[in-house]
């Protein structure tokens, strides 16, 4: 269920059209989003800022940003986002064993897309998905192998002898950002518990919070939802 909820949330956020972000904003988002995923668990330990998880999450942030907002100067395909992402993440995070390992897995995922083996065999060649770089590599393989089929991509990511929850979730995020909310199989949507709550949260994330500590604008409904947590649908 967690896979479906996170996937549906991201797909709803990508549904509304958005203007392209400036390059500087995008660059900052890659580092800040990637590192923010670790802040709650690492205590901002500087030794972990270039860990396997941080570089992989920063790279995923780059892919999602480009897929949703555009702005890639060399083209608008996932392969080109990956090429651009290697350069950008390297510039932001510097060289490291984790970064080299991530790039190697990404290159391997690309090389497996057009071979004659089935998805399970190819995914096993990329690892189990328990390492963040393996999880991203498997997700990218599934997205590249089934570029216009959300269901097939997610099913491939959810059916292998590894960390299927993580790989299917990452695959769903990328495919959802690319294809949108309406690419979800209707039977999956109908079977999702609390879909009304998930979609409302996703809309709120899309609209962004207009409250500011130094501003005069106030939204009692938003405060009830996310500060006091006493809001009832």
């Amino acid at each position: 269920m967690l896979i479906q909820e996170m996937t549906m949330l991201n797909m709803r956020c990508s549904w509304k059209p958005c203007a392209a972000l400036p390059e500087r904003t995008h660059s900052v988002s890659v580092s800040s989003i990637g590192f923010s995923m670790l802040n709650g668990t690492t205590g901002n330990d500087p030794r972990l800022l270039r860990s396997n998880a941080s570089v992989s999450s920063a790279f995923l942030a780059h892919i999602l940003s480009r897929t949703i907002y555009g702005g890639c100067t060399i083209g608008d395909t996932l392969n080109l986002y990956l090429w651009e992402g290697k350069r950008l993440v390297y510039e932001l995070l510097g060289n490291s064993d984790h970064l080299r390992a991530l790039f190697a897995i990404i290159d391997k995922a690309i090389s497996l897309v057009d071979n004659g083996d089935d998805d399970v065999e190819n995914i096993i060649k990329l690892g189990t998905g328990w390492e963040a770089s393996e999880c991203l590599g498997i997700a990218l393989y599934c997205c590249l192998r089934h570029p216009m089929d959300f269901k097939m991509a997610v099913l491939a990511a959810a059916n292998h002898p590894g960390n299927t929850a993580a790989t299917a979730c990452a695959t769903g995020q990328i495919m959802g950002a690319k294809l949108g909310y309406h690419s979800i199989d209707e039977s999956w949507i109908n079977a999702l518990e609390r879909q009304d709550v998930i979609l409302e949260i996703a809309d709120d994330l899309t609209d962004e919070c207009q409250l500011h500590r130094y501003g005069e604008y106030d939204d009692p409904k938003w405060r009830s939802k996310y500060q006091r947590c006493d809001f009832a649908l």
Side-chain angles (χ1 to χ4, degrees):
M1 189 58 65
L2 178 61
I3 299 171
Q4 290 176 300
E5 290 175 357
M6 294 187 70
T7 299
M8 199 164 182
L9 183 69
N10 191 72
M11 297 180 82
R12 184 68 168 186
C13 288
S14 69
W15 187 26
K16 296 183 177 181
C18 302
L21 290 177
E23 179 65 28
R24 176 171 174 79
T25 303
H26 169 74
S27 299
V28 171
S29 75
V30 172
S31 57
S32 62
I33 293 175
F35 291 154
S36 69
M37 294 181 179
L38 298 176
N39 286 344
T41 57
T42 66
N44 294 316
D45 188 334
R47 296 171 298 177
L48 299 176
L49 290 182
R50 286 176 174 81
S51 68
N52 187 303
S54 67
V55 297
S56 299
S57 57
F59 205 96
L60 177 59
H62 162 77
I63 294 168
L64 293 175
S65 177
R66 284 301 192 221
T67 302
I68 296 171
Y69 299 110
C72 180
T73 59
I74 58 176
D76 291 314
T77 68
L78 181 53
N79 275 305
L80 293 176
Y81 299 159
L82 298 180
W83 186 90
E84 179 197 42
K86 288 183 181 181
R87 174 188 59 80
L88 183 58
V89 174
Y90 181 88
E91 291 175 357
L92 287 168
L93 305 182
N95 194 18
S96 71
D97 292 341
H98 294 303
L99 198 59
R100 286 191 294 271
L102 174 62
F103 288 175
I105 289 179
I106 290 173
D107 290 342
K108 189 171 185 178
I110 294 172
S111 72
L112 294 173
V113 169
D114 294 323
N115 71 9
D117 295 339
D118 64 30
D119 286 333
V120 175
E121 292 179 23
N122 283 333
I123 288 172
I124 290 174
K125 296 173 186 176
L126 294 169
T128 62
W130 290 104
E131 290 285 337
S133 56
E134 293 178 354
C135 176
L136 181 57
I138 292 170
L140 292 174
Y141 163 81
C142 294
C143 295
L144 291 168
R145 186 70 176 255
H146 307 283
M148 299 305 296
D149 194 327
F150 173 84
K151 184 175 183 178
M152 287 301 298
V154 173
L155 286 176
N159 287 278
H160 62 88
N163 186 6
T164 55
T167 55
C169 180
T171 301
Q173 290 183 54
I174 298 170
M175 293 298 290
K178 177 182 179 181
L179 301 178
Y181 172 76
H182 294 294
S183 67
I184 308 177
D185 189 274
E186 187 174 350
S187 64
W188 289 12
I189 296 176
N190 293 336
L192 181 62
E193 296 179 2
R194 303 305 300 271
Q195 60 175 280
D196 55 338
V197 176
I198 296 168
L199 293 179
E200 181 160 353
I201 293 173
D203 278 339
D204 288 344
L205 289 173
T206 305
D207 295 336
E208 299 184 355
C209 179
Q210 303 302 313
L211 299 176
H212 192 278
R213 63 184 301 181
Y214 301 113
E216 298 181 358
Y217 175 81
D218 187 41
D219 188 333
K221 185 177 180 181
W222 188 285
R223 291 190 183 279
S224 177
K225 286 182 181 180
Y226 302 111
Q227 291 185 340
R228 298 193 303 271
C229 299
D230 58 3
F231 180 79
L233 292 175

